[in-house]
Amino acid sequence: MLRTEAAKRLDRFPEVTVHARVERVRPAAMLTEASRDAALLVVGTHGRGGLRRLMLGSVSGEVLHRAAAPVLVVPGRDGDQQAA
């Protein structure tokens, strides 16, 4: 499924290099680790805020504070599904 979704985007952006990995760890931990070798880390957000964000946690917020590289947080658009 990951390869299929990535292939859809690679057709539109052939100059982008993609390294697909499936891991069984917390997403924020994996992204923070990956940031050590990155020039820029781009993460999406669902745009949750306030109390709801505190209850659910925030991968993008944790990565923003712990990453070794600069982080660009891109908000999702209403009605769109987030895609990596």
Side-chain angles (χ1 to χ4, degrees):
M1 187 166 93
L2 176 60
R3 287 188 182 119
T4 301
E5 290 302 315
K8 291 177 187 177
R9 284 131 186 103
L10 289 174
D11 288 342
R12 290 179 33 209
F13 306 101
E15 69 282 1
V16 174
T17 302
V18 174
H19 301 279
R21 293 170 45 176
V22 176
E23 301 284 344
R24 293 184 185 264
V25 298
R26 289 180 41 251
M30 178 53 76
L31 291 167
T32 299
E33 179 185 321
S35 75
R36 294 183 188 135
D37 298 321
L40 175 67
L41 188 64
V42 180
V43 296
T45 180
H46 292 288
R48 296 182 179 115
L51 184 57
R52 187 171 180 194
R53 178 176 172 204
L54 291 174
M55 290 189 307
L56 296 175
S58 172
V59 171
S60 58
E62 184 174 339
V63 170
L64 185 63
H65 291 289
R66 298 184 186 273
V71 178
L72 174 63
V73 180
V74 180
R77 292 179 286 190
D78 290 343
D80 285 351
Q81 288 184 336
Q82 292 285 337

